[in-house]
Amino acid sequence: MSFSILKRLPLFSPPFVNVMASSSFYCGVQSKRFLVLAQQLRHYKPPPCSWDDNEERIIEEAAGKFVSQVGFQESVTRVAQNPEKFRSKRAAVLICLFEGDAGDLRVILTKRSSRLSTHSGEVSLPGGKADEGDKDDGDTATREAKEEIGLDPSLVNVITVLEPFLSKHLLRVVPVIGVLNDRKAFKPTPNPAEVDAVFDAPLEMFIKDENRSAEEREWMGEKYLLHFFDYEIENKRYLIWGLTAGILIRAASVVYQRPPAFLEQSPKFKFPGLVDK
């Protein structure tokens, strides 16, 4: 199936066939739209980097868990042109998708524990820093999801990874897209040391200009927009913003094959002569 044909097929307009009862995403009767999604994402290519400068920077980040006020696609930085010169710590987050009761595509999110010393109570995707035993970013994301919310890696079929994002401290974060192949089998068991709540939200929300606000900020001399999404589910309100919002805006844009209905406005990076950690 060619990419041009994929573009003509509508994605996730309810109703569509429920595939969550299947024990495997690739076996048995499948939703055509899910199969199209998998094919579409395999064709995803990160945008080219426009930097023409070759400065070397070695930037380290010690944090294992992260929720950042800032999160941008790596392609808007000069890191993409010289990845061998950027030896930061690597991390991955899991964008775990499933079909909601209304036929919409939804993503699993967490609310960080209120007992954490940093970013307590903030919304994040399951994920964390890579371990030596992880064979790839998919391993990192699914292992962390199991540790944080009890999601068995065997229930997740990893489809693809998106381009890396950079956190405020220039930690390289790789978004991993996976499909939950048996929704009923997943019984969230939050690790109380890390997570207070597990919930889900519609992925398409992150490219709609609804329940969204933005603030103009400045970082490294460049202005950018910080996006905030207000979301309510089961009489509980959540604020999704920063790095998590940035990753989900990009994931929704790729999956639905259209840009957000609002201006993203990422900064044009220039690394300073000295990075003050």
Side-chain angles (χ1 to χ4, degrees), residues 24-245:
S24 173
F25 178 60
Y26 298 103
C27 299
V29 178
Q30 302 300 334
S31 162
K32 289 183 179 179
R33 289 183 176 85
F34 264 143
L35 294 174
V36 168
L37 171 64
Q39 284 291 96
Q40 170 192 314
L41 292 178
R42 287 190 180 93
H43 284 82
Y44 172 74
K45 299 294 183 183
C49 176
S50 61
W51 294 107
D52 57 3
D53 196 315
N54 292 320
E55 291 183 8
E56 291 189 33
R57 291 293 182 266
I58 301 172
I59 302 168
E60 296 181 353
E61 168 61 41
K65 303 293 179 181
F66 45 86
V67 177
S68 176
Q69 294 180 3
V70 182
F72 305 109
Q73 302 145 55
E74 191 171 283
S75 61
V76 304
T77 76
R78 60 186 69 185
V79 168
Q81 186 172 342
N82 293 292
E84 72 282 356
K85 296 179 180 179
F86 184 79
R87 299 191 292 272
S88 70
K89 296 294 179 66
R90 193 177 184 91
V93 292
L94 179 64
I95 303 171
C96 188
L97 305 177
F98 68 92
E99 179 191 4
D101 293 335
D104 56 339
L105 192 62
R106 304 184 71 84
V107 59
I108 296 173
L109 293 164
T110 71
K111 180 182 179 183
R112 286 167 59 87
S113 172
S114 58
R115 290 172 287 187
L116 292 172
S117 59
T118 58
H119 304 291
S120 60
E122 294 188 7
V123 172
S124 67
L125 290 156
K129 194 167 63 175
D131 282 352
E132 289 185 4
D134 297 336
K135 65 180 182 181
D136 54 29
D137 296 311
D139 259 14
T140 300
T142 53
R143 173 183 54 75
E144 288 286 343
K146 182 177 182 180
E147 293 176 5
E148 293 180 13
I149 62 175
L151 176 57
D152 191 328
S154 67
L155 296 178
V156 180
N157 288 290
V158 172
I159 298 176
T160 192
V161 297
L162 302 182
E163 63 178 299
F165 274 61
L166 298 180
S167 75
K168 183 177 182 179
H169 300 287
L170 303 185
L171 170 68
R172 177 180 283 168
V173 182
V174 179
V176 176
I177 295 183
V179 172
L180 182 62
N181 57 42
D182 191 345
R183 177 182 171 189
K184 293 182 179 179
F186 173 44
K187 308 295 182 184
T189 53
N191 179 345
E194 299 185 42
V195 175
D196 274 349
V198 180
F199 67 100
D200 56 83
L203 181 65
E204 193 175 14
M205 176 180 79
F206 298 99
I207 51 173
K208 292 183 175 180
D209 199 9
E210 302 171 4
N211 301 316
R212 185 195 68 88
S213 61
E215 295 180 5
E216 188 175 74
R217 301 285 180 91
E218 186 172 312
W219 186 38
M220 296 186 182
E222 292 289 338
K223 291 183 179 180
Y224 66 94
L225 288 179
L226 190 62
H227 300 280
F228 300 81
F229 294 88
D230 286 303
Y231 180 63
E232 183 174 352
I233 184 173
E234 297 178 350
N235 297 317
K236 295 181 180 179
R237 297 188 66 86
Y238 299 96
L239 184 64
I240 306 163
W241 65 296
L243 175 63
T244 300

Side-chain angles (χ1 to χ4, degrees), residues 234-269:
E234 297 178 350
N235 297 317
K236 295 181 180 179
R237 297 188 66 86
Y238 299 96
L239 184 64
I240 306 163
W241 65 296
L243 175 63
T244 300
I247 289 174
L248 291 172
I249 290 170
R250 174 54 44 196
S253 298
V254 170
V255 169
Y256 288 98
Q257 296 187 336
R258 68 178 190 266
F262 50 84
L263 179 67
E264 287 187 77
Q265 191 175 331
S266 296
K268 295 179 180 178
F269 283 90

